[in-house]
Amino acid sequence: MTTNRDLAITFSGGGNKSFYQLGLLRGWGARLLERVAAVAACSAGACVAALYLSGREDAVWSFWQERRRAVTRNFEWRRLLRGQRPTPHHEPIYRELLLVAFEYGGLERICSQPFPLFVLTALPPRWCPMPAAMLLGLGAHKLEHSLRPDLIHSTFAARIGFQALAFDARECRTGEDLADLILASSATPPFTSVGFYAGRRLLDGGIIDNTPAFLAERAPGVTRNLVLLTQPCVNHLTRQSNSRLYIAPAEPLQVKTWDYTRPHLLEATIARGELDAGRYAPLLDQFLGSTSSFKLIS
């Protein structure tokens, strides 16, 4: 049966917490994909979206399990005091994981999707040196969320000059190219390198908005947006004007943002998403069956 493509899906960033979204997709993905008109993501949320669409989940999981065995500490703070990156393992493993996902037809499956996969990056203000830009963007993000603990969508960084740059992953011609884009969307110096894509030096898209629902809603045909969060909010399930449905874990996920030393916590995060896919299925049914007109929510 042919279904009109009217659905956007938004993936939030959150490091390993983003794999909660993979658990949700294991329960809902086949049903959702036939309706998707656009996908928007940033940071690790872009990794999860690309991984799912690549169809290479099992291969990537096997690779990660083996590759992480040599990592005994997630952070080496003494390296930071010496001016070195405190996570020397993170970026190489992240890139290698992405490249495994894009092998053996993975990239081709992503590029052949009938809908855009928008990946958000942040372009720092021209007046701000790159070493200070991450601190400025992160500080704006933290300040805004401390003032408004119930806030989901950030605005401070854009107000002080950070620009949102989004790219459709389908336009990437090689696995290295798409890996560069996702790494740029995840760039958080000094824990990673500054991102570089399309001739620009870029930072984590979460500086602009860690849940970039606005991107997908620009796509033609979108009338509703399924927004997948990675941490609880005050109203952990929020239905607004029948245009956005927010899904989030009711309790904080135990996995750390980047943790290579306790794989059982990542497995539990995915399992929690699978459990919630069943728990929230009636809410999703109601949302997908809604005929209310679309109204953009800021």
Side-chain angles (χ1 to χ4, degrees):
M1 181 178 67
T2 303
T3 304
N4 291 332
R5 292 190 174 276
D6 62 349
L7 177 68
I9 305 178
T10 299
F11 291 78
S12 299
N16 283 347
K17 297 178 189 294
S18 295
F19 282 83
Y20 170 78
Q21 300 166 126
L22 182 59
L24 292 172
L25 288 177
R26 285 182 176 178
W28 295 342
R31 177 186 180 192
L32 296 176
L33 283 180
E34 65 181 10
R35 291 189 61 161
V36 172
V39 170
C42 74
S43 196
C47 171
V48 169
L51 172 59
Y52 182 78
L53 294 174
S54 77
R56 297 269 296 154
E57 182 183 331
D58 291 342
V60 170
W61 179 253
S62 296
F63 166 80
W64 185 81
Q65 285 278 52
E66 184 60 33
R67 183 68 170 82
R68 56 147 294 276
R69 293 185 191 279
V71 180
T72 58
R73 289 185 294 177
N74 291 307
F75 296 95
E76 300 177 25
W77 295 111
R78 292 182 180 179
R79 290 178 58 90
L80 186 60
L81 296 175
R82 296 196 296 266
Q84 299 172 327
R85 190 168 299 142
T87 54
H89 56 278
H90 170 55
E91 191 170 336
I93 294 178
Y94 195 2
R95 177 178 289 277
E96 291 166 23
L97 180 151
L98 291 169
L99 293 178
V100 169
F102 305 148
E103 291 177 334
Y104 300 107
L107 177 66
E108 290 74 15
R109 281 186 282 274
I110 294 169
C111 294
S112 66
Q113 295 298 327
F115 51 82
L117 168 52
F118 295 120
V119 179
L120 179 65
T121 67
L123 180 66
R126 291 183 179 180
W127 51 264
C128 184
M130 185 58 75
M134 187 64 207
L135 292 176
L136 177 65
L138 183 61
H141 179 83
K142 294 292 187 183
L143 174 62
E144 188 170 17
H145 283 264
S146 66
L147 295 174
R148 295 183 57 189
D150 61 336
L151 184 70
I152 295 176
H153 302 286
S154 304
T155 62
F156 275 15
R159 293 180 185 179
I160 61 176
F162 284 85
Q163 296 181 46
L165 288 184
F167 303 89
D168 186 349
R170 299 179 303 172
E171 297 176 359
C172 295
R173 293 294 171 256
T174 67
E176 287 281 0
D177 195 28
L178 183 48
D180 286 343
L181 173 57
I182 294 176
L183 286 169
S185 181
S186 308
T188 53
F191 305 104
T192 72
S193 303
V194 173
F196 188 81
Y197 186 78
R200 293 182 172 93
R201 301 175 72 202
L202 301 166
L203 293 174
D204 192 317
I207 291 174
I208 300 291
D209 188 343
N210 198 49
T211 308
F214 70 95
L215 283 179
E217 289 164 0
R218 296 173 177 174
V222 170
T223 62
R224 67 202 72 211
N225 194 347
L226 178 63
V227 184
L228 308 180
L229 304 177
T230 57
Q231 58 185 1
C233 52
V234 174
N235 296 311
H236 77 279
L237 294 172
T238 306
R239 179 82 172 272
Q240 298 186 26
S241 299
N242 294 326
S243 62
R244 287 182 186 172
L245 172 64
Y246 291 84
I247 296 292
E251 300 174 355
L253 300 169
Q254 296 305 306
V255 70
K256 300 299 182 183
T257 300
W258 293 114
D259 189 343
Y260 292 85
T261 61
R262 295 177 292 178
H264 66 283
L265 292 180
L266 186 57
E267 292 176 313
T269 299
I270 297 172
R272 178 62 181 271
E274 292 181 284
L275 177 65
D276 283 358
R279 178 180 298 168
Y280 302 142
L283 192 60
L284 181 67
D285 291 341
Q286 181 183 8
F287 180 68
L288 294 179
S290 171
T291 59
S292 299
S293 60
F294 176 79
K295 179 181 179 182
L296 182 64
I297 303 168
S298 59

